[in-house]
Amino acid sequence: MSVVVGVLALQGGFSTHIALLKKVGVTAKEVRKPKDLEGCTALIIPGGESTAILKQVRFIEMHDALNLFAAQKPVMGTCAGLILMSRHIVNDTMVPFGWLDVDIKRNAFGRQADSFHTLLEVKLGGSKLQKIPALFIRAPTIERVGQDVEILAQYQNQPVFVRQGKLLGLTFHPELTQDASLHQFFIDIVKNRGLS
Ligand code: GLN
């Protein structure tokens, strides 16, 4: 099955996701307008500034196309991407897309200077835990998870990586490390669902 992963390229760190996808041999495509979603098997919403991404989505009238895509195909959101995918943001008036049944607190670790790097134990299929490097940049926290949401990694007893079926949400940036395990995990989800 051929996989084409779209990366929402309106603002933020889309190019590093594309580079990592290419490294693992997957076709990656910049998504800048609703039509670009055609032919994509899955979508990544990158980190950046969630308010800026949302503003662009509204400006180019892409909201409906994204809702339709997420109802049918796998989506992974990192940091600002997760914020946009969430059901509710507890410390902001922003209304996110609402696909992933989690509540989010933006900038929960403080300012840019409070960004940090750590090793996380993640559950990538089965019960085995794998250690991966993770970079947190003005990261949000996940304040509530719905009953259909599985927690795949925690940091200081708080969820940082969650899955709800074909939707993955991460509060950190795997694409800024050399470790492609999470992207590979996402691609495995895409392939197993046979959604191309
Ligand atoms: N703080 C940003 C926001 O609220 C997210 C930061 C990031 O994506 N690294 O949108």
Side-chain angles (χ1 to χ4, degrees), residues 89-161:
I89 301 167
V90 299
N91 61 340
D92 202 290
T93 53
M94 190 201 310
V95 179
F97 301 148
W99 309 328
L100 187 57
D101 191 13
V102 295
D103 291 349
I104 295 291
K105 187 176 187 181
R106 291 182 66 205
N107 300 318
F109 294 96
R111 300 158 66 90
Q112 186 86 16
D114 300 311
S115 299
F116 59 97
H117 191 270
T118 188
L119 269 185
L120 285 180
E121 288 202 315
V122 295
K123 235 201 273 180
L124 298 180
S127 54
K128 212 170 135 244
L129 288 173
Q130 187 175 326
K131 278 211 165 94
I132 60 146
L135 201 60
F136 289 76
I137 304 172
R138 286 186 305 119
T141 47
I142 299 174
E143 299 288 312
R144 179 195 65 85
V145 295
Q147 58 178 17
D148 293 333
V149 176
E150 192 186 352
I151 298 170
L152 299 182
Q154 296 196 344
Y155 175 73
Q156 294 181 341
N157 293 321
Q158 264 192 306
V160 291
F161 176 28

Side-chain angles (χ1 to χ4, degrees), residues 19-91:
L20 203 61
L21 288 166
K22 286 187 177 157
K23 194 175 138 188
V24 293
V26 169
T27 308
K29 176 181 167 183
E30 286 187 6
V31 172
R32 295 182 179 273
K33 52 185 187 305
K35 220 174 156 30
D36 294 339
L37 285 170
E38 286 169 19
C40 291
T41 332
L43 180 71
I44 292 178
I45 305 183
E49 194 55 46
S50 48
T51 46
I53 299 174
L54 194 58
K55 223 173 170 175
Q56 289 293 320
V57 165
R58 295 232 169 89
F59 187 69
I60 58 171
E61 297 181 357
M62 198 172 182
H63 214 134
D64 290 350
L66 286 170
N67 281 338
L68 195 66
F69 191 92
Q72 296 169 344
K73 297 188 180 180
V75 183
M76 173 163 97
T78 57
C79 208
L82 162 67
I83 294 170
L84 290 170
M85 289 171 72
S86 72
R87 183 72 37 97
H88 177 67
I89 301 167
V90 299
N91 61 340

